[in-house]
Amino acid sequence: MEHNTMNLNLKVWRQKNNNTKGEFKLYRVENISAEMSFLEMFDVLNEQLVVTGEEPVAFDHDCREGICGMCSMYINGKPHGPWQANTTCQLHMRAFKDGDTIVVEPWRANAFPVVKDLMVDRSAFDRIIQAGGYISVNTGNAVDGNALPINKKDADDSFAAAMCIGCGACVAACKNSSAMLFMSAKVSHLALLPQGDPERNSRVLNMVAQMDKEGFGACTNTGACEATCPKEISLSNIARLNQEYLSASLVADK
Amino acid sequence: MLDAKIPSGSLEDKWVDYKGHCKLVNPANKRKLEVIVVGTGLAGASAAASLGELGYKVKAFCFQDSPRRAHSIAAQGGINAAKNYQNDGDSVFRLFYDTVKGGDYRAREANVHRLAEVSTSIIDQCVAQGVPFAREYGGLLSNRSFGGTQVQRTFYAAGQTGQQLLIGAYQALERQIALGNVTMYSRHEMLEIVKVEGKARGIIARNLISGELERHFGHAVLLCTGGYGNVFYLSTNAMGSNVTAAWKAHRQGAAFANPCFTQIHPTCIPVSGDHQSKLTLMSESLRNDGRIWVPKKQNDTRKAIDIPEDERDYYLERRYPAFGNLVPRDVASRAAKERCDAGYGVGTSKQAVYLDYADAIIRYGKIEAGKEGRNDVPAAEVIAMGKQVVKEKYGNLFDMYEKITGENPYEFPMRIYPAVHYTMGGLWVDYELQTTVPGLYALGEANFSDHGANRLGASALMQGLADGYFVIPYTVGNYLAEEIYSKAIETTHPAFEEAEKSVSDRIYTLMNIKGKQSVESFHKRLGKIIWNKCGMARSKDGLEEAIRDVQALKREFWSDVRIPGEINEMNPELDKANRVADFIELGELMCVDALNRNESCGGHFREEYQTPEGEALRDDENYMYVAAWEFKGEHQWELHKEALNYEVIKPSQRNYK
Amino acid sequence: MTWKQVFTSSVGKKLVMGLTGISLVLFLVVHASINATVFADLFNSEENGEMFNKAAHFMGSTVLIRIMEIGLFGGIILHIAQGYLLSLENQQKRSVGYAVAYKDGSKWYSRSMGLLGTIILLFLVLHLYHFWVSARFTNKGLEESVSYNGVEMHNMFGLMKATFSEWWIFLVYSLGCISLGYHLAHGFQSAFRTLGVHNKRYTTMLISIGYGFSVFITLVFILMPLSFLLGWIG
């Protein structure tokens, strides 16, 4: 294994809280190993800042294995940085070279207000789920797991949609700040399963209404969300949501 | 002090009898009873949702920005259940037996049996919630095998089972939030338990965005805060996973049980340098098809593919022919360490062994060729077909490996090494999951109860959901039935005042040390001490030294830590300092516990106690007990022993040969 | 969920765009087919736009088609108004923009539907002025009529010939048609996605048809002024 190191210039968005204006600040980090993850490079920067008495850069992160969806960061013009199908925590410094300047911004969308520096508030996603992203089954009500066979393809497709980690990269990438990919992943996950059938109409109508209320934009099918999604959630989920929406509104009561 | 409250009667009737006779709370009273749930992983989310469904007023807390982020989400392999869908001889008893045996006979029989009983309901519940488990072409649920068992009882959703189960529980929780039964407090960290007249009555939580301290009342408090693996600094836990909630409970009188029982997972991606912030697990399911080996020659610097077959040592298959690569985690980890310590390790660090898929790729390729009825497929095509099958089964894991290491695991064997993964120890709880503080409960990994000295793969998800969905709704009701006359206590009560003051004092002290060293650097040093002296192999001398080192580190921490920023704002360094301060204290207790336990069992391996073949040597005569430590003051603990009585299973030396 | 709620939701607004878009696509097919009759000239030197003039006369004099024309204008106006409204709304969802824009994930024309639509709109104004306004109201350039089998009608063919004799008009028309092509390259498949077509089989098919249609329609429309300009016909 090679052990090359690099020196980098970082242009990082700093913002004290949601009520203050932010600005870019320049930092330099040295002797960064190509083996490091992007967040480990930020750990190095923060150690440096703590020692010099400056406040470290706040950023969201938790599992650091690409599954919790907590890390964000818009790196050099792409959510989660240059690699495909990847989260920021799994981006490694091999992706950069000595002397690079890296611009790091928070997710930008009015529905995701900045909390501090690179952290944003994504609770709007939780509220979209609250609007209908579930199957109403109380604990203890279930029949045997094998009582309801499910076509393998439907189960696989449903799983592929359920892989969404709720990171918000789709919103960050979308020119309209639309949350359609996120929401359609949930709608598809549940619509593809027979268990999700009883609530399918109310689910899609309520979730769309909530998404609009949260201040996300409309989808114009540009595909930027799909291209940046760390879990490669397919754009076809959005089309499926549209179909669900259309058929639900055609049979609506009022 | 310790009353496990195990119901009488035969093992298989205990839980049924308990459920039949425990006290109930009527729906009108449930509305008046408030329950605090700290942590929203599998245990917390499922408990909060289930209690909300029952009608209790629930407040749930998590430090992440959303309950969906809890680290249960990272579990890869699967969840066990005694469904016997495969008709391969599984049963509740066998799951119970495997779990007790896998735990090296240090778990409580009654709890484990209950776990095995409810395991089947968990699968049903999750399927009903829409968890997209893997299925066969006939539409029925698929299973795979896992370490330490000889049946296929593991349900899975590719390599993301934890994620899917957590999303299921999260959605159930969000539904209750929407219905107004649960109030969610995300980006909140619990920093103190409030006790009134000896009972847990609330918590002090810090709003991590504003830095404000908040008081919350609850008739009961449930800690579902996961394990403490991050005491090692490097572990497969999430960066935020911490022991703080459990530790505050401990300092408030909850006994901490078996803290030295930590699980080192055998298949993780090896450390690549000092900068490393966490370790990444490669699912145990990889051992289903992969073969683990090292070169037969010491310090062999050849590339893996240049080492001929007869110069490879498939040491697990050699040592444990019956279970081969699927021995339990503690056994596999120790065997890897033994080989590396003896100089057979691979990679630049020499702290790694190979996990090789070449054979599996050819095997699967041949099966595929066979399906097409072709016998004359050229080798290269067989390999290509085999790779496709492996990609379908383990693609996401292989991708992850490649991202982290920059090596293609389809071409070269993966390098793996054991890493801290799970902690079997935790808050002592009785059969009802209540700690030694009345009204304070611990669920999931935060308690100690079900896995003994070693946890089998795919059992953590099972336990978290069992506790949250199927156990706590009964047992907390049994407690709350007595509380229907207790009115909600105002948070202006002196107990709340006092608790909040102690928290704010500590924060103030931390902020005003204004020393020179970062929190991170202390955490790293703590991790090194614990890993080296209280990790995969422990010794009396080492542990004594570790205790001295940790005590010294604690003094240094409290006199030289530097935390930038302010108290009343978002301050991740301060959050981290609060956690590391608690880890340091826990680290000491782990060493105390490990030193006390003069035997080797499960994940606890004392070098002084081993068989001539290097296997763990238990001492059932003297140590067949749960070591529950009561906090008595700085550096002081009192040991309480809960004897483990095996009525059904006869403990023997674990044999996977 | 009332109809109002349906059509004012973000998905509903897109439905309006998609439905009007598809009806405009259908109109383009009709428009291109009728206009293609000018090429009859290539095969018959005696033709001199007869087939085209007859077709244009039929379109202009049939009551049903005149009624449909009203619908067409309604659709165009709805498409334009909703398009601008949506673009404006969508832009407002991100008050603080990025320092580095994200460009790799989507096609430029997918991101520029508003701009392309505006160019098409400007072109449309000119185009309507050239032909539709003349034919319906001002009669400009149509002073001399033609008659076939005793039926008198506008010499639309002659008007085309006259209009497209100038280079700059040809260039403006080409720009308009190319914008239309790119607009369709995104809009065609997007409209069907918005209507809920998600099966791989049909999306793959619709994407191909969409690209094919965009290129074809652009070429057909450009070929007409070009043919007049270079004197291939007329």
Side-chain angles (χ1 to χ4, degrees), chain B residues 9 15 36 40 65 123 130 193 205 278 280 304 334 395 427 435 451 456 459 465 479 505 516 548 593 610 633:
Chain B
W15 181 235
I36 285 175
T40 58
D65 71 332
I123 300 303
I193 294 282
K278 81 152 273 160
T280 303
R334 242 176 347 257
L427 292 173
T435 67
H451 306 296
L456 288 183
S459 286
L465 290 180
Y479 171 78
D505 285 354
K516 288 192 204 66
R548 285 193 297 275
D593 185 44
Q610 52 180 306

PDB file of all heavy atoms in Angstrom, chain B residues 9 15 36 40 65 123 130 193 205 278 280 304 334 395 427 435 451 456 459 465 479 505 516 548 593 610 633:
ATOM      1  N   GLY B   9     -41.719 -21.722  38.650  1.00  0.00           N
ATOM      2  CA  GLY B   9     -42.330 -22.558  37.627  1.00  0.00           C
ATOM      3  C   GLY B   9     -41.280 -23.045  36.648  1.00  0.00           C
ATOM      4  O   GLY B   9     -40.110 -22.644  36.712  1.00  0.00           O
ATOM      5  N   TRP B  15     -42.572 -17.098  31.449  1.00  0.00           N
ATOM      6  CA  TRP B  15     -43.016 -15.868  30.797  1.00  0.00           C
ATOM      7  C   TRP B  15     -44.531 -15.863  30.604  1.00  0.00           C
ATOM      8  O   TRP B  15     -45.198 -14.866  30.820  1.00  0.00           O
ATOM      9  CB  TRP B  15     -42.272 -15.677  29.471  1.00  0.00           C
ATOM     10  CG  TRP B  15     -42.625 -14.424  28.720  1.00  0.00           C
ATOM     11  CD1 TRP B  15     -43.051 -14.341  27.439  1.00  0.00           C
ATOM     12  CD2 TRP B  15     -42.577 -13.067  29.198  1.00  0.00           C
ATOM     13  NE1 TRP B  15     -43.279 -13.035  27.079  1.00  0.00           N
ATOM     14  CE2 TRP B  15     -42.996 -12.227  28.145  1.00  0.00           C
ATOM     15  CE3 TRP B  15     -42.237 -12.490  30.422  1.00  0.00           C
ATOM     16  CZ2 TRP B  15     -43.081 -10.843  28.254  1.00  0.00           C
ATOM     17  CZ3 TRP B  15     -42.324 -11.103  30.535  1.00  0.00           C
ATOM     18  CH2 TRP B  15     -42.733 -10.295  29.474  1.00  0.00           C
ATOM     19  N   ILE B  36     -40.482   8.133  30.221  1.00  0.00           N
ATOM     20  CA  ILE B  36     -39.374   8.723  29.467  1.00  0.00           C
ATOM     21  C   ILE B  36     -38.561   7.601  28.839  1.00  0.00           C
ATOM     22  O   ILE B  36     -38.219   6.625  29.512  1.00  0.00           O
ATOM     23  CB  ILE B  36     -38.499   9.579  30.408  1.00  0.00           C
ATOM     24  CG1 ILE B  36     -39.225  10.885  30.730  1.00  0.00           C
ATOM     25  CG2 ILE B  36     -37.136   9.854  29.781  1.00  0.00           C
ATOM     26  CD1 ILE B  36     -38.508  11.749  31.731  1.00  0.00           C
ATOM     27  N   THR B  40     -33.193   5.978  20.862  1.00  0.00           N
ATOM     28  CA  THR B  40     -34.229   5.569  19.905  1.00  0.00           C
ATOM     29  C   THR B  40     -33.718   4.543  18.924  1.00  0.00           C
ATOM     30  O   THR B  40     -34.069   4.541  17.756  1.00  0.00           O
ATOM     31  CB  THR B  40     -34.755   6.779  19.116  1.00  0.00           C
ATOM     32  OG1 THR B  40     -33.628   7.377  18.463  1.00  0.00           O
ATOM     33  CG2 THR B  40     -35.420   7.777  20.001  1.00  0.00           C
ATOM     34  N   ASP B  65     -29.874  13.842  15.127  1.00  0.00           N
ATOM     35  CA  ASP B  65     -30.849  14.802  14.616  1.00  0.00           C
ATOM     36  C   ASP B  65     -32.190  14.153  14.322  1.00  0.00           C
ATOM     37  O   ASP B  65     -33.182  14.832  14.126  1.00  0.00           O
ATOM     38  CB  ASP B  65     -30.316  15.547  13.383  1.00  0.00           C
ATOM     39  CG  ASP B  65     -30.240  14.660  12.154  1.00  0.00           C
ATOM     40  OD1 ASP B  65     -30.068  13.430  12.300  1.00  0.00           O
ATOM     41  OD2 ASP B  65     -30.339  15.176  11.038  1.00  0.00           O
ATOM     42  N   ILE B 123     -40.347 -11.344  14.240  1.00  0.00           N
ATOM     43  CA  ILE B 123     -40.348 -11.445  12.779  1.00  0.00           C
ATOM     44  C   ILE B 123     -41.730 -11.103  12.243  1.00  0.00           C
ATOM     45  O   ILE B 123     -41.878 -10.328  11.289  1.00  0.00           O
ATOM     46  CB  ILE B 123     -39.925 -12.872  12.334  1.00  0.00           C
ATOM     47  CG1 ILE B 123     -38.513 -13.198  12.835  1.00  0.00           C
ATOM     48  CG2 ILE B 123     -40.012 -13.026  10.823  1.00  0.00           C
ATOM     49  CD1 ILE B 123     -37.448 -12.230  12.396  1.00  0.00           C
ATOM     50  N   GLY B 130     -43.849  -3.928   7.338  1.00  0.00           N
ATOM     51  CA  GLY B 130     -43.317  -3.677   6.002  1.00  0.00           C
ATOM     52  C   GLY B 130     -41.808  -3.736   5.919  1.00  0.00           C
ATOM     53  O   GLY B 130     -41.218  -3.171   4.992  1.00  0.00           O
ATOM     54  N   ILE B 193     -30.083  11.482  35.972  1.00  0.00           N
ATOM     55  CA  ILE B 193     -31.340  10.856  36.391  1.00  0.00           C
ATOM     56  C   ILE B 193     -31.827  11.635  37.607  1.00  0.00           C
ATOM     57  O   ILE B 193     -31.040  11.968  38.487  1.00  0.00           O
ATOM     58  CB  ILE B 193     -31.088   9.396  36.831  1.00  0.00           C
ATOM     59  CG1 ILE B 193     -30.641   8.541  35.644  1.00  0.00           C
ATOM     60  CG2 ILE B 193     -32.304   8.799  37.508  1.00  0.00           C
ATOM     61  CD1 ILE B 193     -31.734   8.113  34.727  1.00  0.00           C
ATOM     62  N   ALA B 205     -31.890  16.866  30.696  1.00  0.00           N
ATOM     63  CA  ALA B 205     -31.344  16.679  29.344  1.00  0.00           C
ATOM     64  C   ALA B 205     -30.814  18.008  28.833  1.00  0.00           C
ATOM     65  O   ALA B 205     -31.341  19.071  29.173  1.00  0.00           O
ATOM     66  CB  ALA B 205     -32.420  16.156  28.408  1.00  0.00           C
ATOM     67  N   LYS B 278     -12.622   5.408  13.500  1.00  0.00           N
ATOM     68  CA  LYS B 278     -13.518   4.303  13.847  1.00  0.00           C
ATOM     69  C   LYS B 278     -13.179   3.092  12.985  1.00  0.00           C
ATOM     70  O   LYS B 278     -12.459   3.206  11.990  1.00  0.00           O
ATOM     71  CB  LYS B 278     -14.968   4.699  13.682  1.00  0.00           C
ATOM     72  CG  LYS B 278     -15.481   4.635  12.277  1.00  0.00           C
ATOM     73  CD  LYS B 278     -16.966   4.357  12.269  1.00  0.00           C
ATOM     74  CE  LYS B 278     -17.252   2.868  12.314  1.00  0.00           C
ATOM     75  NZ  LYS B 278     -18.580   2.528  12.755  1.00  0.00           N
ATOM     76  N   THR B 280     -14.579  -0.351  10.836  1.00  0.00           N
ATOM     77  CA  THR B 280     -15.759  -0.766  10.098  1.00  0.00           C
ATOM     78  C   THR B 280     -15.854  -2.272  10.065  1.00  0.00           C
ATOM     79  O   THR B 280     -14.894  -2.975   9.776  1.00  0.00           O
ATOM     80  CB  THR B 280     -15.734  -0.195   8.677  1.00  0.00           C
ATOM     81  OG1 THR B 280     -15.624   1.213   8.786  1.00  0.00           O
ATOM     82  CG2 THR B 280     -16.998  -0.539   7.931  1.00  0.00           C
ATOM     83  N   ALA B 304      -0.951 -12.292  -1.560  1.00  0.00           N
ATOM     84  CA  ALA B 304      -1.826 -13.416  -1.241  1.00  0.00           C
ATOM     85  C   ALA B 304      -1.981 -14.380  -2.418  1.00  0.00           C
ATOM     86  O   ALA B 304      -1.913 -15.602  -2.250  1.00  0.00           O
ATOM     87  CB  ALA B 304      -3.194 -12.901  -0.803  1.00  0.00           C
ATOM     88  N   ARG B 334     -10.042 -14.542  18.859  1.00  0.00           N
ATOM     89  CA  ARG B 334      -8.838 -14.958  19.579  1.00  0.00           C
ATOM     90  C   ARG B 334      -7.892 -15.728  18.670  1.00  0.00           C
ATOM     91  O   ARG B 334      -6.684 -15.576  18.734  1.00  0.00           O
ATOM     92  CB  ARG B 334      -9.229 -15.803  20.786  1.00  0.00           C
ATOM     93  CG  ARG B 334      -8.778 -15.133  22.041  1.00  0.00           C
ATOM     94  CD  ARG B 334      -9.146 -15.763  23.336  1.00  0.00           C
ATOM     95  NE  ARG B 334     -10.130 -16.789  23.350  1.00  0.00           N
ATOM     96  CZ  ARG B 334     -11.393 -16.599  23.754  1.00  0.00           C
ATOM     97  NH1 ARG B 334     -11.800 -15.410  24.123  1.00  0.00           N
ATOM     98  NH2 ARG B 334     -12.227 -17.610  23.789  1.00  0.00           N
ATOM     99  N   GLY B 395     -22.683  -7.736  -2.261  1.00  0.00           N
ATOM    100  CA  GLY B 395     -22.178  -6.595  -3.029  1.00  0.00           C
ATOM    101  C   GLY B 395     -21.902  -5.353  -2.206  1.00  0.00           C
ATOM    102  O   GLY B 395     -20.836  -4.749  -2.310  1.00  0.00           O
ATOM    103  N   LEU B 427     -26.088  -2.167  32.441  1.00  0.00           N
ATOM    104  CA  LEU B 427     -26.794  -1.991  33.702  1.00  0.00           C
ATOM    105  C   LEU B 427     -27.438  -3.303  34.131  1.00  0.00           C
ATOM    106  O   LEU B 427     -28.053  -4.001  33.301  1.00  0.00           O
ATOM    107  CB  LEU B 427     -27.848  -0.895  33.559  1.00  0.00           C
ATOM    108  CG  LEU B 427     -27.284   0.517  33.354  1.00  0.00           C
ATOM    109  CD1 LEU B 427     -28.394   1.497  33.042  1.00  0.00           C
ATOM    110  CD2 LEU B 427     -26.491   0.967  34.578  1.00  0.00           C
ATOM    111  N   THR B 435     -33.667  -1.798  36.730  1.00  0.00           N
ATOM    112  CA  THR B 435     -32.349  -1.744  37.364  1.00  0.00           C
ATOM    113  C   THR B 435     -32.530  -1.766  38.879  1.00  0.00           C
ATOM    114  O   THR B 435     -33.649  -1.917  39.370  1.00  0.00           O
ATOM    115  CB  THR B 435     -31.614  -0.449  36.973  1.00  0.00           C
ATOM    116  OG1 THR B 435     -32.311   0.652  37.560  1.00  0.00           O
ATOM    117  CG2 THR B 435     -31.555  -0.261  35.470  1.00  0.00           C
ATOM    118  N   HIS B 451     -26.856 -12.086  26.971  1.00  0.00           N
ATOM    119  CA  HIS B 451     -25.804 -12.668  26.139  1.00  0.00           C
ATOM    120  C   HIS B 451     -24.630 -13.226  26.897  1.00  0.00           C
ATOM    121  O   HIS B 451     -23.661 -13.676  26.295  1.00  0.00           O
ATOM    122  CB  HIS B 451     -25.329 -11.627  25.119  1.00  0.00           C
ATOM    123  CG  HIS B 451     -26.451 -11.061  24.318  1.00  0.00           C
ATOM    124  ND1 HIS B 451     -27.194 -11.832  23.463  1.00  0.00           N
ATOM    125  CD2 HIS B 451     -26.989  -9.821  24.267  1.00  0.00           C
ATOM    126  CE1 HIS B 451     -28.149 -11.083  22.916  1.00  0.00           C
ATOM    127  NE2 HIS B 451     -28.035  -9.862  23.395  1.00  0.00           N
ATOM    128  N   LEU B 456     -23.960 -14.135  20.367  1.00  0.00           N
ATOM    129  CA  LEU B 456     -23.940 -14.752  19.043  1.00  0.00           C
ATOM    130  C   LEU B 456     -24.388 -13.733  18.008  1.00  0.00           C
ATOM    131  O   LEU B 456     -25.162 -12.825  18.311  1.00  0.00           O
ATOM    132  CB  LEU B 456     -24.882 -15.959  19.008  1.00  0.00           C
ATOM    133  CG  LEU B 456     -24.421 -17.183  19.781  1.00  0.00           C
ATOM    134  CD1 LEU B 456     -25.428 -18.313  19.576  1.00  0.00           C
ATOM    135  CD2 LEU B 456     -23.037 -17.639  19.340  1.00  0.00           C
ATOM    136  N   SER B 459     -28.077 -11.734  17.242  1.00  0.00           N
ATOM    137  CA  SER B 459     -28.885 -11.797  18.458  1.00  0.00           C
ATOM    138  C   SER B 459     -29.113 -10.437  19.089  1.00  0.00           C
ATOM    139  O   SER B 459     -29.988 -10.282  19.933  1.00  0.00           O
ATOM    140  CB  SER B 459     -28.220 -12.706  19.494  1.00  0.00           C
ATOM    141  OG  SER B 459     -28.369 -14.040  19.107  1.00  0.00           O
ATOM    142  N   LEU B 465     -35.267  -5.639  20.029  1.00  0.00           N
ATOM    143  CA  LEU B 465     -36.685  -5.602  19.685  1.00  0.00           C
ATOM    144  C   LEU B 465     -37.532  -6.407  20.658  1.00  0.00           C
ATOM    145  O   LEU B 465     -38.676  -6.045  20.957  1.00  0.00           O
ATOM    146  CB  LEU B 465     -36.892  -6.102  18.253  1.00  0.00           C
ATOM    147  CG  LEU B 465     -36.354  -5.149  17.175  1.00  0.00           C
ATOM    148  CD1 LEU B 465     -36.602  -5.718  15.793  1.00  0.00           C
ATOM    149  CD2 LEU B 465     -36.990  -3.768  17.289  1.00  0.00           C
ATOM    150  N   TYR B 479     -45.148  -2.240  37.012  1.00  0.00           N
ATOM    151  CA  TYR B 479     -44.644  -1.218  37.943  1.00  0.00           C
ATOM    152  C   TYR B 479     -45.601  -0.035  37.996  1.00  0.00           C
ATOM    153  O   TYR B 479     -45.965   0.457  39.070  1.00  0.00           O
ATOM    154  CB  TYR B 479     -43.254  -0.765  37.477  1.00  0.00           C
ATOM    155  CG  TYR B 479     -42.696   0.440  38.218  1.00  0.00           C
ATOM    156  CD1 TYR B 479     -42.137   0.297  39.490  1.00  0.00           C
ATOM    157  CD2 TYR B 479     -42.720   1.709  37.640  1.00  0.00           C
ATOM    158  CE1 TYR B 479     -41.618   1.403  40.170  1.00  0.00           C
ATOM    159  CE2 TYR B 479     -42.203   2.813  38.308  1.00  0.00           C
ATOM    160  CZ  TYR B 479     -41.650   2.649  39.567  1.00  0.00           C
ATOM    161  OH  TYR B 479     -41.144   3.733  40.230  1.00  0.00           O
ATOM    162  N   ASP B 505     -23.051  22.496  37.143  1.00  0.00           N
ATOM    163  CA  ASP B 505     -21.756  22.660  37.815  1.00  0.00           C
ATOM    164  C   ASP B 505     -20.662  21.900  37.069  1.00  0.00           C
ATOM    165  O   ASP B 505     -19.557  22.392  36.875  1.00  0.00           O
ATOM    166  CB  ASP B 505     -21.814  22.144  39.259  1.00  0.00           C
ATOM    167  CG  ASP B 505     -22.572  23.111  40.162  1.00  0.00           C
ATOM    168  OD1 ASP B 505     -22.929  24.210  39.679  1.00  0.00           O
ATOM    169  OD2 ASP B 505     -22.826  22.755  41.336  1.00  0.00           O
ATOM    170  N   LYS B 516      -4.708  22.391  27.959  1.00  0.00           N
ATOM    171  CA  LYS B 516      -4.027  22.412  26.660  1.00  0.00           C
ATOM    172  C   LYS B 516      -4.427  21.269  25.733  1.00  0.00           C
ATOM    173  O   LYS B 516      -4.199  21.336  24.539  1.00  0.00           O
ATOM    174  CB  LYS B 516      -2.514  22.336  26.894  1.00  0.00           C
ATOM    175  CG  LYS B 516      -1.913  23.600  27.468  1.00  0.00           C
ATOM    176  CD  LYS B 516      -0.387  23.530  27.395  1.00  0.00           C
ATOM    177  CE  LYS B 516       0.257  24.421  28.429  1.00  0.00           C
ATOM    178  NZ  LYS B 516      -0.004  23.953  29.820  1.00  0.00           N
ATOM    179  N   ARG B 548      -4.224   1.935  37.293  1.00  0.00           N
ATOM    180  CA  ARG B 548      -3.394   3.096  37.667  1.00  0.00           C
ATOM    181  C   ARG B 548      -3.350   4.121  36.522  1.00  0.00           C
ATOM    182  O   ARG B 548      -3.497   5.320  36.734  1.00  0.00           O
ATOM    183  CB  ARG B 548      -1.958   2.645  38.015  1.00  0.00           C
ATOM    184  CG  ARG B 548      -1.841   1.966  39.373  1.00  0.00           C
ATOM    185  CD  ARG B 548      -0.382   1.835  39.785  1.00  0.00           C
ATOM    186  NE  ARG B 548       0.411   0.987  38.887  1.00  0.00           N
ATOM    187  CZ  ARG B 548       0.491  -0.341  38.981  1.00  0.00           C
ATOM    188  NH1 ARG B 548      -0.173  -0.987  39.923  1.00  0.00           N
ATOM    189  NH2 ARG B 548       1.246  -1.035  38.144  1.00  0.00           N
ATOM    190  N   ASP B 593     -13.449  -5.050  37.114  1.00  0.00           N
ATOM    191  CA  ASP B 593     -14.260  -6.249  36.912  1.00  0.00           C
ATOM    192  C   ASP B 593     -13.433  -7.378  36.290  1.00  0.00           C
ATOM    193  O   ASP B 593     -13.515  -8.532  36.715  1.00  0.00           O
ATOM    194  CB  ASP B 593     -15.453  -5.896  36.009  1.00  0.00           C
ATOM    195  CG  ASP B 593     -16.416  -7.056  35.833  1.00  0.00           C
ATOM    196  OD1 ASP B 593     -16.726  -7.714  36.851  1.00  0.00           O
ATOM    197  OD2 ASP B 593     -16.855  -7.296  34.690  1.00  0.00           O
ATOM    198  N   GLN B 610      -6.208 -20.569  30.754  1.00  0.00           N
ATOM    199  CA  GLN B 610      -6.508 -21.154  29.457  1.00  0.00           C
ATOM    200  C   GLN B 610      -6.110 -22.620  29.444  1.00  0.00           C
ATOM    201  O   GLN B 610      -5.288 -23.055  30.232  1.00  0.00           O
ATOM    202  CB  GLN B 610      -5.805 -20.375  28.335  1.00  0.00           C
ATOM    203  CG  GLN B 610      -4.314 -20.185  28.535  1.00  0.00           C
ATOM    204  CD  GLN B 610      -3.690 -19.397  27.383  1.00  0.00           C
ATOM    205  OE1 GLN B 610      -3.850 -19.768  26.238  1.00  0.00           O
ATOM    206  NE2 GLN B 610      -2.966 -18.339  27.699  1.00  0.00           N
ATOM    207  N   GLY B 633     -18.486   5.816  45.348  1.00  0.00           N
ATOM    208  CA  GLY B 633     -17.671   7.029  45.423  1.00  0.00           C
ATOM    209  C   GLY B 633     -16.531   6.904  44.440  1.00  0.00           C
ATOM    210  O   GLY B 633     -16.348   5.838  43.835  1.00  0.00           O
TER     211      GLY B 633
END
